[in-house]
Amino acid sequence: MPRGSSAVWMRRRREVSRLVRARTRLVAAGVILAGVALSLTNATPAAADPGTFVYTANTSSGNVSVINTATNLVADSEPSGDEPYGVAVNSSGTRVYVTNRISGFVSVFDTTNNTGVDEIPVGDLPQGVAVNPSGTRVYTANGGSGDVSVIDTTQDPPAVATVGVGASPFGVAVSPSGARAYVTNQADDDVSVIDTATNTLILPDISVGDSPQGVAVSPSGTRIYTANRDDNNVSVIDTATGLPAPGSPISVGGFPFGVAVSPDGTRVYTANSSTDDVSVIDAASNTVIDTIPLLPTGGEGPRGVAVSPDGDRVYTANGSSDNVSVIDTLTNTVSAIVPLGGTGVGDQPTGLAVAAFPGSATAQCPPGPSTALTGGGFEITGPFPNYFNSKPVVNDTWQISGTNPTPQTNTLTSQAVCGTG
């Protein structure tokens, strides 16, 4: 694909429709356990402001929007480089990395205050970006120079190594073990595999569909998924053999760009840019089990796609309507639209990622039937051995319910409450 053609295509789509129709869903949540209404006691909020945040790279406006998923509103906007494109977050949620295609560097943001802390030069036309599980390496797919930059975040200033891959690399993903990095080469229709210990290629490259864009790895590390834009399908590759898995390729919507896997590995989601929808793939059978339309609620030209840490929300960056769609994975419907444009906040969002910013509060749950609510969709950080049931309540807030044999003090996230029957 010629350099810049993707941006031109998206700008043409943007001229077709600039209408953003925002829709919010008001949800009333009652807390009931075993048919008994529970009285609730607010826990003391943490000093920090924990929560789950979505970061979008806004290619046309040259900035990054920060969305608070508890409110589905833009909480902040920070300048980036020229044509920010891909976004990745480290596992601790402390750093966000954004590729800037024209500037040729990676912007680094500190999530505690959403400020830029570094600009790291990489290869030509950096697009996809990924972070290894330990946060010590950042990988960028440089479409113009045909290579991958490997940033060592443990050094100051960060050291950058270069690994040559195929023609016009686009997406990059790292295995859960951190031992492999997978890179889609959109002009070669294949995937390069990098041994991260030696920064060398493991040959041969893996053939996939026509013009592969995004790439994702299953939580088990046994499968990789590539969104093949010009074939309108997804390749599923067995990482042990490098061969297609049964059922591959999987036909999806038109021009799939982004692909993401749920935290439990059971679902795969593709953002289909030309049909304005999201395909939902059952990972066990490698079949499409649902298609979620975005355009009726205002989402046009989706490119980036990401799943929340709890697996109950999917977010798409809609480059042609300057907004983000929020999908409820329990119903596979759009539950909210987050406007980015109109005020210069964010135009043409392309890549996005979800960051879990940690924080804590303490709540005491006495004996008997009890319920704890944790804000932001976070896991409980303290002992909670007798709590057996969890379910989403509002947005990314989770309800954990069960029975305490003895009083317990548990470290929870902000907005935690306990209820007693």
Side-chain angles (χ1 to χ4, degrees):
M1 184 175 66
R3 177 174 176 174
S5 64
S6 176
V8 171
W9 179 81
M10 286 298 292
R11 290 190 181 102
R12 286 176 180 171
R13 285 184 60 85
R14 285 161 52 80
E15 293 171 0
V16 175
S17 174
R18 301 282 299 178
L19 179 62
V20 177
R21 296 188 296 271
R23 186 185 74 170
T24 59
R25 184 180 68 177
L26 300 178
V27 181
V31 182
I32 306 293
L33 181 63
V36 179
L38 306 179
S39 60
L40 302 179
T41 304
N42 290 325
T44 303
D49 184 20
T52 303
F53 297 86
V54 173
Y55 290 76
T56 69
N58 306 314
T59 300
S60 291
S61 52
N63 60 3
V64 174
S65 294
V66 185
I67 300 170
N68 185 338
T69 66
T71 61
N72 285 329
L73 296 174
V74 175
D76 200 357
S77 178
E78 295 295 331
S80 188
D82 194 357
E83 286 202 6
Y85 203 83
V87 187
V89 181
N90 64 2
S91 59
S92 62
T94 59
R95 289 291 185 271
V96 173
Y97 299 90
V98 179
T99 55
N100 301 282
R101 292 206 302 179
I102 303 303
S103 304
F105 61 76
V106 171
S107 297
V108 185
F109 294 90
D110 182 342
T111 61
T112 59
N113 50 22
N114 290 329
T115 57
V117 294
D118 206 353
E119 292 180 348
I120 305 170
V122 290
D124 185 31
L125 204 68
Q127 300 178 126
V129 58
V131 188
N132 70 350
S134 63
T136 59
R137 298 291 186 274
V138 177
Y139 300 83
T140 68
N142 309 315
S145 50
D147 53 32
V148 168
S149 295
V150 185
I151 303 170
D152 184 348
T153 64
T154 65
Q155 299 189 39
D156 188 15
V160 181
T162 301
V163 182
V165 290
S168 192
F170 186 91
V172 58
V174 182
S175 64
S177 68
R180 300 286 184 267
Y182 300 94
V183 184
T184 56
N185 304 305
Q186 59 180 338
D188 286 341
D189 303 333
D190 59 24
V191 172
S192 295
V193 185
I194 299 174
D195 182 336
T196 60
T198 60
N199 284 339
T200 57
L201 292 183
I202 300 173
L203 297 177
D205 288 344
I206 302 170
S207 295
V208 290
D210 191 3
S211 191
Q213 306 289 297
V215 57
V217 189
S218 65
S220 64
T222 59
R223 295 285 188 271
I224 61 171
Y225 302 87
T226 67
N228 308 317
R229 187 194 63 191
D230 293 348
D231 274 343
N232 299 331
N233 63 21
V234 170
S235 293
V236 187
I237 303 298
D238 184 325
T239 59
T241 64
L243 299 175
S248 175
I250 307 166
S251 295
V252 292
F255 272 35
F257 275 88
V259 59
V261 186
S262 63
D264 62 6
T266 62
R267 297 290 182 266
V268 180
Y269 301 89
T270 66
N272 308 315
S273 190
S274 69
T275 49
D276 304 314
D277 54 31
V278 171
S279 297
V280 185
I281 298 170
D282 173 47
S285 61
N286 283 334
T287 58
V288 174
I289 58 174
D290 207 348
T291 299
I292 306 169
L294 303 180
L295 191 55
T297 54
E300 186 179 4
R303 295 189 65 132
V305 60
V307 187
S308 63
D310 53 37
D312 285 301
R313 296 293 182 271
V314 168
Y315 301 90
T316 64
N318 306 318
S320 298
S321 51
D322 298 337
N323 57 21
V324 169
S325 293
V326 184
I327 296 170
D328 183 337
T329 62
L330 297 182
T331 60
N332 284 339
T333 58
V334 176
S335 60
I337 288 284
V338 184
L340 300 179
T343 60
V345 174
D347 295 330
Q348 196 182 343
T350 304
L352 83 170
V354 184
F357 183 56
S360 64
T362 299
Q364 291 185 338
C365 299
S370 301
T371 296
L373 300 180
T374 64
F378 286 104
E379 297 294 332
I380 296 169
T381 58
F384 226 111
N386 297 292
Y387 277 61
F388 57 85
N389 181 41
S390 63
K391 64 180 181 179
V393 181
V394 180
N395 293 329
D396 285 330
T397 299
W398 280 72
Q399 173 179 309
I400 316 296
S401 60
T403 300
N404 286 334
T406 59
Q408 294 181 350
T409 299
N410 303 282
T411 302
L412 310 171
T413 60
S414 180
Q415 304 168 12
V417 296
C418 287
T420 59

